[in-house]
Amino acid sequence: MLVGVEYPELADRTGRFRFGAPHALTVGDDGARVAFLRSAGPRDPAAALWVLDVATGALSQVAAGPVPAYAGSANLDVLAWAHDGRLFSSVAGHIATAAEVLDPRPDPAGQHIGYVTPDGSLRVVSGSDDQLLAGEAGSGVSWGVPEPVAAEFGRDRGWWWSPDGSQILAVRSTGTALSLHLLDLHGGWVDVHWDRETYPYLVGVRWSGTGNALITVLRRTQQHGLVLSVDPRTGETQVHAELADARWVEPVPGTPRQLPDGRVLVGGELAHDGFDARCLFADGSLITPPGLYVRRVAGVLRRPTGGPELIIEGTDGEPSEQHVFAVRTALGGGTASARRLTTEPGWHTATLGGDVLILDLTVTRGAAKVCTLPSLAEPLVYHPEPVLERVTDRRLPTGVLYPTGHFDGTKLPVLLELGDGPGHQQVVSDPARWQEKQWWADAGFLVVTVDTRGTPGVAPSFEKVIYRRLADVALTDQIDALHALTGKHPDLDLTRVAVRGTGLGGWLAAAAVQRRGDLFRCGIARDPVTDWSDLPPAYAERYLGSRADNSDIYEHHRVDASAPTLLISPAGGLSEELTYVTRFV
């Protein structure tokens, strides 16, 4: 029997503990300063901008909230942000501009501040001078604004300062067409040359320490890409690396980048001689061990002795955990190796600059701890203890949450949580990710979460086997995992199973109810996708291939949102969802 529960606030479904926690951390290149955003408390979403002086450990508030985002010069001696379309800096306060301000960014030396405008122009402020660098107002052409498809590759920027602040590399987009240009502050500019017809997607941009820019471009099919070095004088490009995969190329965040010794670091996959790994390569040489699944490159840390180290976030065997590792970058003999810097189980992150490293919120310089950035966040609402294990011959990561105070031998209905779809992990060692699931468990369910094939963190083959058959693979994995879990969790009542998901997870919930109504009594689809043709082509084609060549596959992945046992729920409405599920299970 379901128990009556009171719907807690859960603060925008992620918990009040999110407000008041330091976030958007940045460390200056010289390690002298750390900037971050933090609100005044658990019920205050308006974040203020703070700076830590690493030498003294002193904290100072640079700007009261709301500061939604900020950017800094190389050493963070100048910070800039926008509020209500007005420009502010940590040095000059409010700065008058000729237009409404979006995405302001100081140059590395802090002498100029560039920004984009709502009409898609790119401007630069130098003292009292506000210069139009590029713009075609009223033409539908945007400069410096990330084109819509950029978000599908995790790119949220459309322009980048050169290391010496003399140039800006900017995207020019006209709907679906994209080009890249080098603009100098005196009105000159050159095009960046590559075969844009063959490689239309610009995945990433990063300036190197030598003054060249590195860009990653992909074919429309996303099965082949190039890492190119851009000559800032001529715009000509040189191929540094090729990326290829029979399914899709998945660049590692934080790459490509130039290492201190001049080699170019790229992410790739090792799929031969028994290896199945996501690794890093420097000019083609493997520098991370095959057993380490690389998730992100955080940067290069300067050490007082022993040379610089590459700091990465990754997983070394347990996909529910993320740890921080140091990798030696110097040339030399020996096999690739990595040294783990985090010891406690969990989901750890790294931020760094110069010789300063922040692990989660703990700031260290060399071997010495500086401080832990203070959090004003409210403690977690719940303290969930999911039972994590891997099941079936595919070793699917799973988590089972019991109601608080559950007695063994009491069978309970099952809620299968599907999350947000492929590319999103749910089974992670982070209590914050289990808050809403624990609410459902305390409402009288055994909550089950399965990271099916298609989920990152295990191995490239595990991730990409879903190509062109996502619906069948994902649904099979969910069903097989449920049956496998009953051996260790006999209180799972598989005669009463509900399924719930968001976005593409909502799409899979609808597919589960329609295709396997014998197992799934009802489903909740929050903001679901029903037709993959409605998704951006860059996203849909990554998993299903070209619609022109695979129309039957797109039709196979279509779902009917009008199923009688399916609730289409907008964001929010947990109480309504609980009432609906109770009718069936």
Short mmCIF file of all heavy atoms in Angstrom, two decimals, residues 280-336:
data_model
loop_
_atom_site.label_atom_id
_atom_site.label_comp_id
_atom_site.label_asym_id
_atom_site.label_seq_id
_atom_site.Cartn_x
_atom_site.Cartn_y
_atom_site.Cartn_z
N LEU A 280 43.53 9.66 -23.95
CA LEU A 280 44.12 10.89 -24.45
C LEU A 280 45.40 10.55 -25.19
O LEU A 280 46.18 9.68 -24.78
CB LEU A 280 44.42 11.86 -23.30
CG LEU A 280 43.22 12.38 -22.51
CD1 LEU A 280 43.69 13.23 -21.34
CD2 LEU A 280 42.28 13.19 -23.40
N PHE A 281 45.62 11.29 -26.29
CA PHE A 281 46.80 11.11 -27.12
C PHE A 281 47.47 12.46 -27.31
O PHE A 281 46.80 13.48 -27.53
CB PHE A 281 46.42 10.53 -28.48
CG PHE A 281 45.74 9.19 -28.41
CD1 PHE A 281 44.37 9.10 -28.20
CD2 PHE A 281 46.47 8.03 -28.56
CE1 PHE A 281 43.73 7.87 -28.15
CE2 PHE A 281 45.84 6.78 -28.51
CZ PHE A 281 44.48 6.70 -28.30
N ALA A 282 48.80 12.48 -27.25
CA ALA A 282 49.59 13.67 -27.52
C ALA A 282 50.39 13.43 -28.79
O ALA A 282 51.29 12.59 -28.80
CB ALA A 282 50.52 14.00 -26.35
N ASP A 283 50.02 14.14 -29.86
CA ASP A 283 50.63 13.93 -31.17
C ASP A 283 50.65 12.45 -31.53
O ASP A 283 51.64 11.92 -32.05
CB ASP A 283 52.05 14.51 -31.20
CG ASP A 283 52.05 16.02 -31.41
OD1 ASP A 283 50.96 16.60 -31.53
OD2 ASP A 283 53.15 16.60 -31.46
N GLY A 284 49.56 11.75 -31.22
CA GLY A 284 49.41 10.36 -31.60
C GLY A 284 49.90 9.35 -30.59
O GLY A 284 49.65 8.16 -30.74
N SER A 285 50.61 9.80 -29.54
CA SER A 285 51.12 8.88 -28.52
C SER A 285 50.15 8.80 -27.35
O SER A 285 49.72 9.84 -26.82
CB SER A 285 52.49 9.34 -28.01
OG SER A 285 53.43 9.34 -29.06
N LEU A 286 49.82 7.59 -26.93
CA LEU A 286 48.91 7.38 -25.81
C LEU A 286 49.57 7.87 -24.52
O LEU A 286 50.69 7.46 -24.20
CB LEU A 286 48.57 5.90 -25.70
CG LEU A 286 47.65 5.48 -24.56
CD1 LEU A 286 46.24 6.01 -24.78
CD2 LEU A 286 47.63 3.95 -24.44
N ILE A 287 48.86 8.72 -23.75
CA ILE A 287 49.44 9.21 -22.50
C ILE A 287 48.58 8.87 -21.27
O ILE A 287 48.98 9.19 -20.15
CB ILE A 287 49.70 10.73 -22.53
CG1 ILE A 287 48.40 11.53 -22.60
CG2 ILE A 287 50.61 11.11 -23.68
CD1 ILE A 287 48.60 13.02 -22.34
N THR A 288 47.41 8.25 -21.46
CA THR A 288 46.61 7.79 -20.32
C THR A 288 46.45 6.29 -20.39
O THR A 288 46.38 5.70 -21.48
CB THR A 288 45.22 8.46 -20.31
OG1 THR A 288 44.58 8.25 -21.57
CG2 THR A 288 45.34 9.95 -20.02
N PRO A 289 46.40 5.61 -19.24
CA PRO A 289 46.29 4.15 -19.25
C PRO A 289 44.95 3.71 -19.81
O PRO A 289 43.93 4.35 -19.59
CB PRO A 289 46.44 3.77 -17.78
CG PRO A 289 46.09 5.01 -17.02
CD PRO A 289 46.49 6.16 -17.87
N PRO A 290 44.92 2.58 -20.54
CA PRO A 290 43.67 2.12 -21.17
C PRO A 290 42.55 1.83 -20.18
O PRO A 290 41.38 1.85 -20.56
CB PRO A 290 44.10 0.86 -21.92
CG PRO A 290 45.56 1.02 -22.13
CD PRO A 290 46.07 1.76 -20.94
N GLY A 291 42.90 1.55 -18.93
CA GLY A 291 41.85 1.25 -17.95
C GLY A 291 41.17 2.48 -17.40
O GLY A 291 40.19 2.36 -16.65
N LEU A 292 41.62 3.66 -17.77
CA LEU A 292 41.04 4.91 -17.27
C LEU A 292 40.11 5.49 -18.33
O LEU A 292 40.53 5.81 -19.44
CB LEU A 292 42.15 5.90 -16.93
CG LEU A 292 41.72 7.31 -16.52
CD1 LEU A 292 40.85 7.26 -15.27
CD2 LEU A 292 42.94 8.19 -16.30
N TYR A 293 38.83 5.66 -17.97
CA TYR A 293 37.84 6.28 -18.86
C TYR A 293 37.91 7.79 -18.64
O TYR A 293 37.53 8.30 -17.58
CB TYR A 293 36.46 5.74 -18.54
CG TYR A 293 35.33 6.27 -19.40
CD1 TYR A 293 34.78 5.50 -20.43
CD2 TYR A 293 34.78 7.53 -19.17
CE1 TYR A 293 33.74 5.98 -21.20
CE2 TYR A 293 33.74 8.01 -19.94
CZ TYR A 293 33.22 7.23 -20.96
OH TYR A 293 32.19 7.71 -21.73
N VAL A 294 38.41 8.52 -19.63
CA VAL A 294 38.59 9.97 -19.49
C VAL A 294 37.28 10.68 -19.78
O VAL A 294 36.70 10.53 -20.86
CB VAL A 294 39.70 10.47 -20.44
CG1 VAL A 294 39.86 11.98 -20.31
CG2 VAL A 294 41.02 9.77 -20.13
N ARG A 295 36.85 11.48 -18.82
CA ARG A 295 35.60 12.24 -19.00
C ARG A 295 35.85 13.69 -19.41
O ARG A 295 35.13 14.23 -20.23
CB ARG A 295 34.80 12.24 -17.69
CG ARG A 295 34.28 10.86 -17.27
CD ARG A 295 33.55 10.96 -15.95
NE ARG A 295 33.05 9.68 -15.48
CZ ARG A 295 31.85 9.18 -15.77
NH1 ARG A 295 31.03 9.86 -16.55
NH2 ARG A 295 31.47 8.01 -15.30
N ARG A 296 36.88 14.33 -18.83
CA ARG A 296 37.15 15.74 -19.13
C ARG A 296 38.59 16.07 -18.79
O ARG A 296 39.13 15.54 -17.81
CB ARG A 296 36.21 16.65 -18.32
CG ARG A 296 36.34 18.14 -18.64
CD ARG A 296 35.37 18.98 -17.81
NE ARG A 296 35.84 19.19 -16.46
CZ ARG A 296 36.53 20.27 -16.05
NH1 ARG A 296 36.83 21.23 -16.91
NH2 ARG A 296 36.89 20.39 -14.79
N VAL A 297 39.19 16.94 -19.58
CA VAL A 297 40.50 17.48 -19.26
C VAL A 297 40.29 18.84 -18.58
O VAL A 297 39.71 19.75 -19.17
CB VAL A 297 41.37 17.64 -20.52
CG1 VAL A 297 42.69 18.32 -20.18
CG2 VAL A 297 41.62 16.28 -21.16
N ALA A 298 40.74 18.94 -17.33
CA ALA A 298 40.54 20.19 -16.57
C ALA A 298 41.61 21.21 -16.88
O ALA A 298 41.36 22.42 -16.79
CB ALA A 298 40.52 19.89 -15.07
N GLY A 299 42.83 20.78 -17.21
CA GLY A 299 43.89 21.72 -17.53
C GLY A 299 45.25 21.17 -17.16
O GLY A 299 45.41 20.00 -16.81
N VAL A 300 46.26 22.04 -17.26
CA VAL A 300 47.64 21.68 -16.93
C VAL A 300 48.06 22.42 -15.67
O VAL A 300 47.95 23.65 -15.59
CB VAL A 300 48.60 22.01 -18.09
CG1 VAL A 300 50.05 21.71 -17.70
CG2 VAL A 300 48.22 21.22 -19.35
N LEU A 301 48.51 21.68 -14.68
CA LEU A 301 48.90 22.23 -13.38
C LEU A 301 50.42 22.38 -13.32
O LEU A 301 51.15 21.42 -13.60
CB LEU A 301 48.42 21.31 -12.26
CG LEU A 301 48.69 21.76 -10.82
CD1 LEU A 301 47.86 23.00 -10.48
CD2 LEU A 301 48.36 20.63 -9.85
N ARG A 302 50.88 23.57 -12.96
CA ARG A 302 52.32 23.79 -12.77
C ARG A 302 52.72 23.27 -11.40
O ARG A 302 52.13 23.64 -10.39
CB ARG A 302 52.67 25.26 -12.88
CG ARG A 302 52.46 25.86 -14.25
CD ARG A 302 53.29 27.12 -14.42
NE ARG A 302 53.08 28.07 -13.33
CZ ARG A 302 52.24 29.09 -13.36
NH1 ARG A 302 51.51 29.30 -14.44
NH2 ARG A 302 52.13 29.90 -12.34
N ARG A 303 53.73 22.41 -11.37
CA ARG A 303 54.25 21.89 -10.12
C ARG A 303 55.60 22.54 -9.83
O ARG A 303 56.39 22.77 -10.77
CB ARG A 303 54.42 20.36 -10.19
CG ARG A 303 53.12 19.59 -10.31
CD ARG A 303 52.32 19.63 -9.02
NE ARG A 303 51.23 18.65 -9.04
CZ ARG A 303 50.34 18.54 -8.07
NH1 ARG A 303 50.41 19.34 -7.02
NH2 ARG A 303 49.36 17.65 -8.13
N PRO A 304 55.91 22.83 -8.56
CA PRO A 304 57.21 23.43 -8.26
C PRO A 304 58.38 22.52 -8.63
O PRO A 304 59.46 22.98 -8.95
CB PRO A 304 57.15 23.69 -6.74
CG PRO A 304 56.03 22.83 -6.25
CD PRO A 304 55.08 22.70 -7.37
N THR A 305 58.15 21.20 -8.59
CA THR A 305 59.17 20.23 -9.00
C THR A 305 58.49 19.13 -9.80
O THR A 305 57.31 18.85 -9.64
CB THR A 305 59.87 19.59 -7.78
OG1 THR A 305 58.89 18.92 -6.97
CG2 THR A 305 60.59 20.65 -6.95
N GLY A 306 59.25 18.52 -10.69
CA GLY A 306 58.73 17.38 -11.43
C GLY A 306 58.02 17.70 -12.72
O GLY A 306 57.57 16.79 -13.41
N GLY A 307 57.92 18.98 -13.09
CA GLY A 307 57.30 19.32 -14.35
C GLY A 307 55.79 19.42 -14.25
O GLY A 307 55.17 18.99 -13.27
N PRO A 308 55.15 19.97 -15.27
CA PRO A 308 53.69 20.14 -15.26
C PRO A 308 52.96 18.81 -15.33
O PRO A 308 53.48 17.83 -15.84
CB PRO A 308 53.42 21.00 -16.49
CG PRO A 308 54.56 20.70 -17.41
CD PRO A 308 55.75 20.44 -16.53
N GLU A 309 51.73 18.81 -14.81
CA GLU A 309 50.90 17.61 -14.85
C GLU A 309 49.55 17.95 -15.46
O GLU A 309 48.99 19.02 -15.22
CB GLU A 309 50.68 17.04 -13.45
CG GLU A 309 51.90 16.39 -12.84
CD GLU A 309 51.59 15.76 -11.50
OE1 GLU A 309 50.98 16.44 -10.65
OE2 GLU A 309 51.96 14.58 -11.30
N LEU A 310 49.05 17.02 -16.25
CA LEU A 310 47.72 17.15 -16.83
C LEU A 310 46.70 16.67 -15.81
O LEU A 310 46.83 15.58 -15.26
CB LEU A 310 47.64 16.32 -18.10
CG LEU A 310 46.41 16.47 -18.98
CD1 LEU A 310 46.37 17.85 -19.60
CD2 LEU A 310 46.41 15.39 -20.05
N ILE A 311 45.70 17.49 -15.52
CA ILE A 311 44.67 17.14 -14.55
C ILE A 311 43.40 16.77 -15.32
O ILE A 311 42.90 17.56 -16.13
CB ILE A 311 44.39 18.30 -13.58
CG1 ILE A 311 45.68 18.73 -12.88
CG2 ILE A 311 43.34 17.89 -12.56
CD1 ILE A 311 46.34 17.64 -12.06
N ILE A 312 42.90 15.58 -15.05
CA ILE A 312 41.72 15.11 -15.76
C ILE A 312 40.70 14.55 -14.78
O ILE A 312 41.03 14.17 -13.65
CB ILE A 312 42.07 14.02 -16.81
CG1 ILE A 312 42.61 12.76 -16.11
CG2 ILE A 312 43.08 14.55 -17.82
CD1 ILE A 312 42.85 11.62 -17.06
N GLU A 313 39.45 14.54 -15.21
CA GLU A 313 38.37 13.86 -14.49
C GLU A 313 38.05 12.58 -15.24
O GLU A 313 37.94 12.58 -16.46
CB GLU A 313 37.14 14.75 -14.42
CG GLU A 313 37.36 16.04 -13.64
CD GLU A 313 36.26 17.07 -13.85
OE1 GLU A 313 35.37 16.84 -14.71
OE2 GLU A 313 36.29 18.11 -13.16
N GLY A 314 37.92 11.48 -14.49
CA GLY A 314 37.67 10.22 -15.17
C GLY A 314 37.21 9.14 -14.21
O GLY A 314 36.98 9.38 -13.02
N THR A 315 37.08 7.95 -14.75
CA THR A 315 36.59 6.79 -14.01
C THR A 315 37.55 5.63 -14.24
O THR A 315 37.94 5.37 -15.38
CB THR A 315 35.18 6.41 -14.47
OG1 THR A 315 34.27 7.45 -14.10
CG2 THR A 315 34.72 5.11 -13.85
N ASP A 316 37.92 4.95 -13.16
CA ASP A 316 38.85 3.83 -13.30
C ASP A 316 38.24 2.52 -12.80
O ASP A 316 38.77 1.87 -11.92
CB ASP A 316 40.17 4.12 -12.59
CG ASP A 316 40.00 4.34 -11.09
OD1 ASP A 316 38.85 4.49 -10.64
OD2 ASP A 316 41.01 4.35 -10.37
N GLY A 317 37.11 2.17 -13.36
CA GLY A 317 36.52 0.86 -13.07
C GLY A 317 35.10 0.92 -12.54
O GLY A 317 34.27 0.10 -12.91
N GLU A 318 34.79 1.86 -11.66
CA GLU A 318 33.45 1.97 -11.09
C GLU A 318 32.74 3.15 -11.75
O GLU A 318 33.03 4.31 -11.42
CB GLU A 318 33.52 2.15 -9.58
CG GLU A 318 32.17 2.39 -8.90
CD GLU A 318 31.10 1.41 -9.34
OE1 GLU A 318 31.29 0.19 -9.13
OE2 GLU A 318 30.08 1.86 -9.91
N PRO A 319 31.80 2.90 -12.69
CA PRO A 319 31.21 4.01 -13.45
C PRO A 319 30.38 4.97 -12.62
O PRO A 319 30.12 6.09 -13.08
CB PRO A 319 30.35 3.29 -14.50
CG PRO A 319 30.12 1.93 -13.95
CD PRO A 319 31.31 1.59 -13.13
N SER A 320 29.95 4.58 -11.42
CA SER A 320 29.15 5.50 -10.61
C SER A 320 30.01 6.57 -9.95
O SER A 320 29.47 7.52 -9.38
CB SER A 320 28.39 4.73 -9.52
OG SER A 320 29.28 4.18 -8.57
N GLU A 321 31.33 6.44 -10.02
CA GLU A 321 32.23 7.40 -9.39
C GLU A 321 33.03 8.17 -10.42
O GLU A 321 33.38 7.63 -11.48
CB GLU A 321 33.18 6.69 -8.43
CG GLU A 321 32.48 6.01 -7.26
CD GLU A 321 33.46 5.36 -6.30
OE1 GLU A 321 34.68 5.61 -6.43
OE2 GLU A 321 33.01 4.61 -5.42
N GLN A 322 33.32 9.42 -10.11
CA GLN A 322 34.24 10.22 -10.92
C GLN A 322 35.35 10.72 -10.01
O GLN A 322 35.08 11.27 -8.95
CB GLN A 322 33.52 11.40 -11.57
CG GLN A 322 34.47 12.35 -12.32
CD GLN A 322 33.75 13.43 -13.07
OE1 GLN A 322 33.15 13.18 -14.11
NE2 GLN A 322 33.76 14.64 -12.54
N HIS A 323 36.59 10.50 -10.44
CA HIS A 323 37.74 10.93 -9.66
C HIS A 323 38.61 11.87 -10.47
O HIS A 323 38.44 12.04 -11.68
CB HIS A 323 38.54 9.71 -9.19
CG HIS A 323 37.85 8.94 -8.11
ND1 HIS A 323 37.89 9.30 -6.78
CD2 HIS A 323 37.07 7.83 -8.17
CE1 HIS A 323 37.19 8.44 -6.07
NE2 HIS A 323 36.67 7.54 -6.88
N VAL A 324 39.55 12.51 -9.78
CA VAL A 324 40.49 13.44 -10.41
C VAL A 324 41.86 12.77 -10.44
O VAL A 324 42.31 12.20 -9.44
CB VAL A 324 40.54 14.77 -9.65
CG1 VAL A 324 41.56 15.72 -10.30
CG2 VAL A 324 39.16 15.42 -9.61
N PHE A 325 42.52 12.86 -11.60
CA PHE A 325 43.80 12.20 -11.81
C PHE A 325 44.83 13.20 -12.32
O PHE A 325 44.49 14.17 -13.01
CB PHE A 325 43.66 11.07 -12.83
CG PHE A 325 42.70 9.99 -12.43
CD1 PHE A 325 41.33 10.14 -12.64
CD2 PHE A 325 43.15 8.82 -11.86
CE1 PHE A 325 40.44 9.15 -12.29
CE2 PHE A 325 42.27 7.81 -11.50
CZ PHE A 325 40.91 7.99 -11.71
N ALA A 326 46.10 12.93 -12.00
CA ALA A 326 47.21 13.69 -12.55
C ALA A 326 47.98 12.79 -13.50
O ALA A 326 48.29 11.64 -13.17
CB ALA A 326 48.12 14.19 -11.43
N VAL A 327 48.28 13.31 -14.69
CA VAL A 327 48.98 12.55 -15.71
C VAL A 327 50.25 13.31 -16.08
O VAL A 327 50.21 14.52 -16.34
CB VAL A 327 48.10 12.37 -16.97
CG1 VAL A 327 48.87 11.65 -18.07
CG2 VAL A 327 46.83 11.62 -16.62
N ARG A 328 51.37 12.62 -16.08
CA ARG A 328 52.64 13.25 -16.44
C ARG A 328 52.63 13.60 -17.93
O ARG A 328 52.28 12.78 -18.77
CB ARG A 328 53.79 12.28 -16.13
CG ARG A 328 55.18 12.84 -16.38
CD ARG A 328 56.22 11.87 -15.82
NE ARG A 328 56.05 10.55 -16.40
CZ ARG A 328 56.61 10.15 -17.54
NH1 ARG A 328 57.36 11.00 -18.22
NH2 ARG A 328 56.43 8.93 -17.99
N THR A 329 53.03 14.83 -18.26
CA THR A 329 53.01 15.28 -19.65
C THR A 329 54.39 15.27 -20.29
O THR A 329 54.49 15.38 -21.51
CB THR A 329 52.44 16.70 -19.76
OG1 THR A 329 53.32 17.62 -19.10
CG2 THR A 329 51.06 16.79 -19.15
N ALA A 330 55.45 15.16 -19.49
CA ALA A 330 56.79 15.24 -20.05
C ALA A 330 57.08 14.04 -20.93
O ALA A 330 56.63 12.93 -20.68
CB ALA A 330 57.83 15.33 -18.92
N LEU A 331 57.88 14.27 -21.98
CA LEU A 331 58.29 13.18 -22.85
C LEU A 331 59.25 12.26 -22.11
O LEU A 331 60.05 12.71 -21.29
CB LEU A 331 58.98 13.74 -24.10
CG LEU A 331 58.07 14.47 -25.11
CD1 LEU A 331 58.94 15.21 -26.12
CD2 LEU A 331 57.18 13.48 -25.83
N GLY A 332 59.19 10.99 -22.36
CA GLY A 332 60.08 10.05 -21.70
C GLY A 332 59.60 8.64 -21.90
O GLY A 332 58.54 8.38 -22.46
N GLY A 333 60.39 7.69 -21.41
CA GLY A 333 60.04 6.29 -21.57
C GLY A 333 58.99 5.87 -20.57
O GLY A 333 58.50 6.65 -19.76
N GLY A 334 58.62 4.61 -20.63
CA GLY A 334 57.65 4.06 -19.70
C GLY A 334 56.26 4.06 -20.28
O GLY A 334 55.96 4.69 -21.28
N THR A 335 55.38 3.31 -19.61
CA THR A 335 54.00 3.20 -20.07
C THR A 335 53.16 4.35 -19.54
O THR A 335 53.54 5.03 -18.58
CB THR A 335 53.39 1.87 -19.59
OG1 THR A 335 53.45 1.82 -18.15
CG2 THR A 335 54.16 0.69 -20.17
N ALA A 336 52.01 4.56 -20.18
CA ALA A 336 51.10 5.62 -19.74
C ALA A 336 50.57 5.29 -18.34
O ALA A 336 50.23 4.14 -18.04
CB ALA A 336 49.94 5.73 -20.72
#
